[in-house]
Amino acid sequence: MAQLLSEIADGQEVRVISIASSVLRVKLLEMGLLEDQPIRVLFRAPLGDPLAIDVNGYVLSLRLSEAKLVSVSSKLEQV
Amino acid sequence: MKIALVGNPNTGKSSIFNMLTGLRQHVGNFPGVTVDVKTGDMRLGDNSASLVDLPGTYSIYPRSTDERVVYESLTVTKAEDQPDAVMVVLDTSNLQRNLLLAGQVYDLGLPTLFVLNMNDVAKRRGISVNEEGLRQHFPEAEIVSSNARAGMGKAAILEALQNLPERKTDRVEPCEMNDLPGQEEETVRRYKEIKKMLPSIESVVSKHDFTSKWDRILTHPVFGYAIFATILLIIFQFIFAFANYPMDLIDGAFSSFSSWTASAIPSGVFTDLLTEGVIPGIGGVVIFIPQIALLFFFIAILEETGYLARVVFIMDRLMRPLGLNGKSVVPMMSSVACAIPGVMAARTISDRKERLITILIAPLMSCSARIPVYTLLISLVIPQTKVWGVINAQGLVLFGLYFLGTVMALVVALILKMLIKTDEMGFLLLELPEYKSPRWGNVGLVVLEKVRVFVWDAGRIILAISIVLWALASYGPSERIQLAENQAIMTADGLGMNTAEKEQLVASAKLENSYIGIMGKGIEPAIAPLGYDWKIGISLITSFAAREVFVGSMATIYAVEDDGEKQTPLMEKMRQEKRSDGGPVYSLATGVSLMVFYAFAMMCMATLAVVKRETKGWKWPMVQLGYMSALAYFGALITYQILA
């Protein structure tokens, strides 16, 4: 089932399905949020925003509004 | 030979730059680039080469003003503007993402060197890289490994740079800067290729686990902010405690140099220009170096350790409702030393609107040039009593002024957020680097660079204006100034004053009748409602060179010696000064009104010049001057009318 990255709880591992069309799309892709890329939500800033995720070996922080552009699926499901 | 240095942020790129160029660094222009970049000189065998440190970026397509420089300088089509070679620094522990930029740069067709850096971190994470495998995919690039933090790899890099082969393949034209669909398509295609080549380049033994207990504490809802507040407190405490000693030394040195010069060369216009314009002007610049150096020493440590990225992370949500960015914290902190490096530090903010607001509010943070003014006024009108039995009232007022500036900065940010229109979308997308211990060499070079920027960018403007102001204060309508001088001499002789007192009286009379004196009297009707007389008016005008000039001008006007430190004679005189109705001129109301004026007023030409450069036009510095002058005038007006 597809969810938005912004809705994923800390500690969960998911897979990127797609990134919504936006001026930020190319920047999110450049940071490694590619289709099928496994990512893990690590922790959130005090007010729940921004959040920090592990992308293939480095920690990326992004705002909730940016995470909303990323749809993800639970890791076990095949895309 | 000109070599461009590029790489992702946090790859140790600046360590490599420092390792190769050391102290031979300067800020200079680069063809095709609108912003200044750091350039360093190095020796390559028998030749010398310049290495251009381009800002860290994840791809050649820009997101911030900073990163635009990379695109502009690498994609220039005019042959003579192109760099002769490119050096790409790659973080070995994160090759996948680093190879995106490396591939883009490789395809530009310039002789290219890949430096695989941080192989110690990679080793710790169980990653080993096969240079041969990498070479197969980028056959025309030289490849070397280094560990710049440990100072390793310098010889290999220098040798490789001398042997860079000419490129045989053609340049692949990059996308246009605005061609987003083209860039998306290219990014996806490149990552597909990278994923295909990675198995032949690196082998990963174990997967790295990112559960940092430090992050749990430093981004904690309570401890996170408490720790940040404590660190700020310690830094400012430290600066106030230790910057005073070198500042007193500098002050003493410049005033004795000035009087020595006055006695050593024959008197005349040139001597006056030197002793009253140039030397105090330079002194007024140099005096701020200790504070600026100390503040950037701490900021550089926070940056080097990776903590600053966490500050951005926990502050972003709080700053956003005000139209700011988590990254606005660093420019605002810097502005407490001096707004000039603060304004320049805003370059890292990718969103145009957030960056602009940060620049516009930065000078409201109380900079070090305001301290001499505050100190004089506070000791003049605030009694040395204790509040609630423990807190020193004077200290409380000083703290209040810093607080006032910061709060006003945030309020103005909120207003600007509603006024400035944008169709861009603000974003953060920030890498949180691993924590590491600071490299003292890097810290030292950051301090040096910031001091150099301040001395050069602010210094030459402060110096130029202090010379103009010296001329305006030394000359006036010729008959008028001569008449005043003669009268002062007669008065002094009549009262039987000694030479020093006589000189001071003459200087005061000349200033009163100079062009500046006439201007000061001219603005008196406008500033009378704020509680100021023409003498304060003169000092307000001279403060446009730099705020702290206020103190020296006051000393001249009141015909007392500027002792540079405690200002005891000046304070005596100011205390005795009476208005026509018999009340003191420096009442509580006037004093506080002046402090509010200095807290808000944009009295720094150097900052305006830097804002003009950073925003590429006179529009925003004029907006800044306008709104801050209005704030200062009406803030002081309200303060005076309430207190009087």
Side-chain angles (χ1 to χ4, degrees):
Chain A
M1 197 189 83
Q3 277 179 297
L4 298 179
L5 176 57
S6 51
E7 297 161 351
I8 304 299
D10 290 3
Q12 289 234 37
E13 193 157 350
V14 292
R15 230 170 240 278
V16 177
I17 298 177
S18 64
I19 296 171
S21 172
S22 147
V23 286
L24 292 184
R25 189 159 182 257
V26 60
K27 295 300 149 197
L28 291 161
L29 289 170
E30 281 172 4
M31 299 309 285
L33 297 177
L34 306 149
E35 192 182 314
D36 226 17
Q37 172 71 50
I39 52 177
R40 188 155 63 95
V41 177
L42 295 171
F43 51 88
R44 284 170 155 80
L47 292 160
D49 181 14
L51 59 155
I53 61 173
D54 173 1
V55 186
N56 195 44
Y58 83 97
V59 183
L60 173 68
S61 75
L62 67 177
R63 290 177 176 171
L64 276 188
S65 59
E66 291 148 20
K68 279 194 180 121
L69 299 171
V70 185
S71 33
V72 294
S73 74
S74 143
K75 198 198 172 186
L76 300 172
E77 290 173 44
Q78 286 303 308
V79 185
Chain B
M1 187 166 165
K2 204 163 50 203
I3 301 164
L5 177 63
V6 296
N8 284 188
N10 307 306
T11 49
K13 189 168 68 70
S14 50
S15 288
I16 290 198
F17 181 69
N18 292 340
M19 178 172 85
L20 293 174
T21 62
L23 290 170
R24 288 155 300 172
Q25 299 180 6
H26 47 95
V27 175
N29 279 313
F30 193 67
V33 170
T34 42
V35 198
D36 294 340
V37 285
K38 263 199 300 182
T39 304
D41 299 321
M42 56 184 184
R43 295 219 53 87
L44 281 184
D46 296 331
N47 305 311
S48 70
S50 59
L51 188 63
V52 184
D53 187 21
L54 296 173
T57 173
Y58 296 101
S59 89
I60 58 169
Y61 302 117
R63 303 189 290 181
S64 63
T65 317
D66 227 13
E67 294 176 9
R68 212 185 178 88
V69 173
V70 179
Y71 183 87
E72 286 173 357
S73 58
L74 289 181
T75 59
V76 280
T77 39
K78 268 203 297 184
E80 72 265 27
D81 284 352
Q82 278 187 6
D84 302 302
V86 197
M87 180 153 103
V88 188
V89 181
L90 293 97
D91 171 359
T92 319
S93 62
N94 189 357
L95 269 186
Q96 178 179 315
R97 200 196 62 212
N98 279 261
L99 279 171
L100 173 71
L101 176 69
Q104 288 174 334
V105 172
Y106 180 80
D107 284 351
L108 292 174
L110 297 162
T112 305
L113 170 68
F114 286 175
V115 179
L116 296 169
N117 195 31
M118 310 221 289
N119 43 27
D120 55 331
V121 180
K123 236 173 245 158
R124 208 167 58 231
R125 292 194 189 168
I127 299 168
S128 61
V129 175
N130 167 12
E131 276 184 32
E132 271 316 305
L134 188 59
R135 200 162 281 131
Q136 276 167 21
H137 298 284
F138 301 96
E140 292 180 47
E142 278 294 302
I143 298 167
V144 296
S145 292
S146 76
N147 182 0
R149 280 176 62 80
M152 279 154 56
K154 184 176 176 179
I157 292 172
L158 290 178
E159 197 194 319
L161 282 176
Q162 290 173 64
N163 302 322
L164 279 185
E166 278 299 307
R167 294 292 295 262
K168 295 180 209 82
T169 44
D170 282 340
R171 172 190 173 91
V172 180
E173 278 307 317
C175 293
E176 290 292 320
M177 201 153 30
N178 306 324
D179 179 14
L180 292 182
Q183 293 174 15
E184 286 174 16
E185 187 269 328
E186 183 194 319
T187 308
V188 172
R189 173 175 55 80
R190 282 188 189 278
Y191 267 123
K192 272 199 186 116
E193 291 166 10
I194 292 168
K195 288 208 165 156
K196 233 183 278 165
M197 63 175 88
L198 268 182
S200 63
I201 301 175
E202 67 172 10
S203 61
V204 182
V205 178
S206 63
K207 210 167 173 295
H208 187 67
D209 187 29
F210 282 101
T211 39
S212 162
K213 51 177 185 284
W214 282 107
D215 273 331
R216 202 156 293 163
I217 300 165
L218 294 175
T219 66
H220 185 274
V222 179
F223 301 130
Y225 295 117
I227 291 170
F228 180 47
T230 312
I231 290 176
L232 281 185
L233 203 70
I234 294 171
I235 291 177
F236 290 122
Q237 202 57 46
F238 205 87
I239 292 173
F240 283 122
F242 292 102
N244 275 336
Y245 302 105
M247 286 172 84
D248 287 347
L249 280 180
I250 292 168
D251 202 53
F254 271 92
S255 45
S256 31
F257 182 57
S258 184
S259 33
W260 175 82
T261 313
S263 60
I265 52 180
S267 61
V269 178
F270 178 72
T271 312
D272 287 351
L273 170 67
L274 217 55
T275 57
E276 291 165 24
V278 177
I279 296 174
I282 295 174
V285 174
V286 174
I287 188 110
F288 293 114
I289 291 176
Q291 284 187 346
I292 289 171
L294 268 174
L295 185 72
F296 281 103
F297 171 75
F298 288 112
I299 292 181
I301 292 176
L302 297 186
E303 170 109 62
E304 276 270 310
T305 51
Y307 177 65
L308 220 44
R310 272 72 183 182
V311 171
V312 174
F313 183 71
I314 63 170
M315 294 302 287
D316 186 66
R317 185 66 188 83
L318 300 179
M319 305 293 270
R320 226 181 307 157
L322 303 168
L324 299 167
N325 185 301
K327 291 179 186 166
S328 307
V329 174
V330 178
M332 288 175 75
M333 275 170 70
S334 312
S335 298
V336 176
C338 174
I340 290 158
V343 166
M344 292 194 298
R347 265 186 217 163
T348 55
I349 301 172
S350 39
D351 179 62
R352 193 190 68 93
K353 182 176 169 179
E354 289 169 343
R355 173 166 178 255
L356 189 58
I357 296 179
T358 308
I359 290 175
L360 290 177
I361 63 162
L364 279 174
M365 304 298 290
S366 275
C367 67
S368 35
R370 288 175 172 103
I371 296 172
V373 182
Y374 287 165
T375 318
L376 176 73
L377 293 171
I378 286 175
S379 30
L380 201 60
V381 300
I382 307 291
Q384 243 180 338
T385 48
K386 297 265 187 228
V387 183
W388 302 310
V390 277
I391 307 164
N392 180 319
Q394 295 189 334
L396 196 65
V397 171
L398 185 63
F399 175 79
L401 287 166
Y402 275 85
F403 186 72
L404 181 70
T406 313
V407 168
M408 190 47 84
L410 298 177
V411 170
V412 172
L414 188 64
I415 295 167
L416 288 172
K417 183 197 172 192
M418 292 186 266
L419 293 180
I420 299 175
K421 295 274 171 284
T422 178
D423 40 10
E424 283 175 55
M425 188 175 157
F427 67 99
L428 184 70
L429 284 187
L430 167 86
E431 183 180 351
L432 299 182
E434 263 196 87
Y435 291 105
K436 39 186 186 289
S437 59
R439 297 283 309 151
W440 299 108
N442 289 348
V443 172
L445 286 166
V446 167
V447 171
L448 252 171
E449 188 212 331
K450 298 289 176 182
V451 167
R452 192 147 45 185
V453 162
F454 167 75
V455 170
W456 187 240
D457 279 28
R460 55 189 171 162
I461 293 169
I462 295 176
L463 183 61
I465 293 175
S466 40
I467 291 171
V468 171
L469 288 173
W470 165 81
L472 287 176
S474 313
Y475 295 95
S478 52
E479 281 168 40
R480 184 173 166 162
I481 212 160
Q482 195 56 51
L483 202 70
E485 188 174 351
N486 293 341
Q487 237 163 23
I489 293 172
M490 265 160 59
T491 316
D493 289 342
L495 292 170
M497 287 179 167
N498 65 28
T499 324
E501 285 170 333
K502 187 168 151 186
E503 268 175 17
Q504 284 159 1
L505 195 70
V506 169
S508 169
K510 279 169 89 175
L511 179 59
E512 186 183 339
N513 290 285
S514 67
Y515 290 114
I516 277 197
I518 294 166
M519 281 155 79
K521 285 186 175 156
I523 63 167
E524 195 171 18
I527 58 175
L530 314 186
Y532 311 157
D533 60 8
W534 61 268
K535 295 178 180 174
I536 300 177
I538 290 176
S539 302
L540 288 185
I541 296 170
T542 54
S543 290
F544 269 92
R547 296 175 172 96
E548 80 284 3
V549 170
F550 176 83
V551 180
S553 293
M554 283 312 232
T556 312
I557 294 168
Y558 285 112
V560 292
E561 183 201 354
D562 179 359
D563 68 359
E565 218 176 305
K566 293 224 171 78
Q567 302 292 356
T568 327
L570 175 58
M571 288 215 299
E572 286 293 304
K573 228 14 192 299
M574 286 171 80
R575 254 192 212 115
Q576 289 160 12
E577 188 76 355
K578 293 277 185 288
R579 274 200 306 249
S580 48
D581 62 5
V585 168
Y586 296 93
S587 60
L588 181 71
T590 297
V592 178
S593 156
L594 257 179
M595 288 182 226
V596 170
F597 191 92
Y598 273 87
F600 294 154
M602 178 71 226
M603 302 219 273
C604 181
M605 294 282 177
T607 304
L608 284 175
V610 170
V611 171
K612 187 234 155 193
R613 199 187 71 186
E614 293 288 309
T615 59
K616 298 198 187 86
W618 279 111
K619 178 184 171 188
W620 293 111
M622 287 302 122
V623 168
Q624 193 170 35
L625 179 66
Y627 97 76
M628 289 181 70
S629 306
L631 264 185
Y633 186 84
F634 291 106
L637 180 69
I638 293 165
T639 311
Y640 182 73
Q641 296 301 336
I642 290 175
L643 291 176

